[in-house]
């Protein structure tokens, strides 16, 4: 039995390693410097939108980085999404001290409609204000970015460069997440790796592929396609709003680009397991379409293919089954090789390439919790705020 199991697991990892779509997309990286043709570029048709909830800790570093790029956008709007810290006051202070104060403003967000994500409602509030403001008809692009993300210089030009050169209607960046704590080093690279496994970046950027995805922390989208899909209102009740936005844009005929950035960084820290768990449990069951049979299949797949290789190696040693041990060891070797680029992307030591089975244990548990919470009617939460029980 163990031998057959180990052969199946080995076959899975061989197939995964041979799949060209799921090779680590190292070349899909945001340019760090603009081309010479962009140096005199105008940002008169672009607006920056920043939904911010309880971001006082990071805003002092992230907002100035965008204000320094004021030549590359016409307006910047930060929406204080009902924060209960000093986010709004700090944002106004930073804007007042900036040379870009005349083209920037802070709006106070209101209560979202029932079922809406507060973040999407805050962003839609900004979009409406920008369109209705004098000169709003000239806005052709919107850059949605989280308030905890520190942009490198020229990031807006780099995003537009990709949109222009590759004729893309939506450009999104998977920013570098924090890996300072032990939990982050274990779980963050695995999160990004699993995301890339579900939504291969190489397929996302192909117009002929139906695979669509985006990373919500940084999304540049054309106004044309935002209006074609019915605006942000069309995804207001979606839990995984970034992926849904990308899917609707692609279905409407727009091109997508999704890649990494070495210098665009999230300053949010998750020092506790519970903080990462909340992020996963909020989205996992929604990703599975609220289908319990698919939840069970996913849990079984996580255990069988991602957690079991080291267990099979141990069982082979205990039972003295060399062929089982050989197949399991080969499977674990391929798993390590496949995972290494994700660990390396975050600058982790080589030993972290062996950590995927352990990380998978936690993701199995968090995926189970997502379904369990839905069964109990707890609904989803975002940033400590309940969205209400799902209607699915």
């Amino acid at each position: 039995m163990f031998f057959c199991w180990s052969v199946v697991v080995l076959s899975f990892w061989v197939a995964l390693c041979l799949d060209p779509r799921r090779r680590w997309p190292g070349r899909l990286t945001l340019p760090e410097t603009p081309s010479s043709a962009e140096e005199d570029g105008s940002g008169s048709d672009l607006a920056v939108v920043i939904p911010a909830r309880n971001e006082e800790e990071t805003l002092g570093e992230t907002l100035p980085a965008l204000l320094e790029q004021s030549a590359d956008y016409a307006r910047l709007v930060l929406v204080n999404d009902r924060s209960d810290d000093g986010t709004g006051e700090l944002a106004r202070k930073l804007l007042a001290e900036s040379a870009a104060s005349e083209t920037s403003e802070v709006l106070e967000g209101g209560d979202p409609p029932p079922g809406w994500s507060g973040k999407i409602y805050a962003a839609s509030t900004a979009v409406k204000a920008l369109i209705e403001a004098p000169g709003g008809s000239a806005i052709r692009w919107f850059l949605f970015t989280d308030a905890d993300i520190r942009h490198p210089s020229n990031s807006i030009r780099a995003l537009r460069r990709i949109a222009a050169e590759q004729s893309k209607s939506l450009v999104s960046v998977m920013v570098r997440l924090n890996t300072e704590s032990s939990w982050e080093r274990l779980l963050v690279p695995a999160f990004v790796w699993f995301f890339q496994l579900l939504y291969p970046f190489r397929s996302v950027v192909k117009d002929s592929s139906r695979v669509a995805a985006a990373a919500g922390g940084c999304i540049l989208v054309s106004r044309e396609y935002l209006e074609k899909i019915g605006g942000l209102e069309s995804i207001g009740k979606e839990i995984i709003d970034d992926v849904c936005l990308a899917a609707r844009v692609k279905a409407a005929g727009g091109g997508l680009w999704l890649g990494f950035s070495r210098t665009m960084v999230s300053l949010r820290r998750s020092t506790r397991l519970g903080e990462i768990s909340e992020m996963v449990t909020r989205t996992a069951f929604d990703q599975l379409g609220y289908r319990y049979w698919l939840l069970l299949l996913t849990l079984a797949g996580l255990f069988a293919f991602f957690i079991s290789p080291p267990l099979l190696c141990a069982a082979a040693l205990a039972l003295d089954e060399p062929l089982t041990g050989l197949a399991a060891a080969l499977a674990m070797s391929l798993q390590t090789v496949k995972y290494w680029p994700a660990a390396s992307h975050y600058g982790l030591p080589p030993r972290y390439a062996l950590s995927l089975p352990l990380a998978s244990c936690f993701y199995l548990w968090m995926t189970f919790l997502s379904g369990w919470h839905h069964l109990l009617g707890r609904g989803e939460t975002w940033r400590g705020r309940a969205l209400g029980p799902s209607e699915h």
Side-chain angles (χ1 to χ4, degrees), residues 2 42 63 79-81 96 122 213 225 270 286 294 302 305 334 387:
F2 284 115
S42 170
L63 184 54
V79 182
N80 181 26
D81 185 16
Y225 276 89
S270 301
D286 181 83
L294 190 53
L302 280 170
F305 299 118
L334 292 177
L387 299 180

Side-chain angles (χ1 to χ4, degrees), residues 191 239-240 274 276-292 294-296 298-299 302 361-381 387-390 392:
F191 172 82
I239 301 300
I240 312 178
I276 300 176
S277 178
E278 181 180 353
M279 174 183 67
V280 177
T281 56
R282 177 175 66 90
T283 60
F285 200 45
D286 181 83
Q287 174 64 47
L288 299 175
Y290 300 93
R291 291 168 287 188
Y292 286 101
L294 190 53
L295 173 65
L296 294 175
T298 300
L299 298 178
L302 280 170
C361 290
F362 287 99
Y363 279 106
L364 184 151
W365 173 246
M366 290 183 281
T367 303
F368 166 78
L369 283 181
S370 183
W372 180 249
H373 288 172
H374 183 267
L375 184 64
L376 297 179
R378 294 183 184 177
E380 294 85 2
T381 60
L387 299 180
S390 172
H392 291 267

Side-chain angles (χ1 to χ4, degrees), residues 156-297:
I156 296 177
R157 293 187 184 186
L159 291 164
R160 296 204 63 172
R161 173 182 172 183
I162 290 175
E165 292 182 353
Q166 301 187 32
S167 300
K168 301 300 183 183
S169 306
L170 184 150
V171 177
S172 182
V173 176
M174 175 67 74
V175 305
R176 286 183 66 88
L177 304 176
N178 233 313
T179 52
E180 294 181 10
S181 72
S182 298
W183 286 117
E184 288 170 332
R185 287 193 293 272
L186 174 65
L187 297 175
V188 165
F191 172 82
V192 175
W193 189 84
F194 277 122
F195 185 86
Q196 208 282 141
L197 187 68
L198 288 172
Y199 305 104
F201 290 13
R202 296 171 184 272
S203 296
V204 170
V205 301
K206 288 185 177 181
D207 295 340
S208 59
S209 168
R210 298 175 62 182
V211 178
C218 178
I219 296 178
L220 176 70
V221 62
S222 74
R223 177 176 176 175
E224 175 189 0
Y225 276 89
L226 192 61
E227 291 179 345
K228 273 188 177 183
I229 67 171
L232 293 178
E233 293 81 1
S234 66
I235 60 168
K237 295 186 178 182
E238 300 292 347
I239 301 300
I240 312 178
D241 49 77
D242 46 8
V243 173
C244 289
L245 174 62
R248 295 186 182 219
V249 168
K250 199 165 195 177
L256 308 180
W257 187 92
L258 174 61
F260 295 106
S261 173
R262 299 183 181 93
T263 52
M264 193 180 298
V265 180
S266 171
L267 301 185
R268 184 173 311 285
R269 296 191 62 194
S270 301
T271 57
R272 297 182 296 106
L273 175 60
E275 293 171 323
I276 300 176
S277 178
E278 181 180 353
M279 174 183 67
V280 177
T281 56
R282 177 175 66 90
T283 60
F285 200 45
D286 181 83
Q287 174 64 47
L288 299 175
Y290 300 93
R291 291 168 287 188
Y292 286 101
W293 66 267
L294 190 53
L295 173 65
L296 294 175
L297 192 62

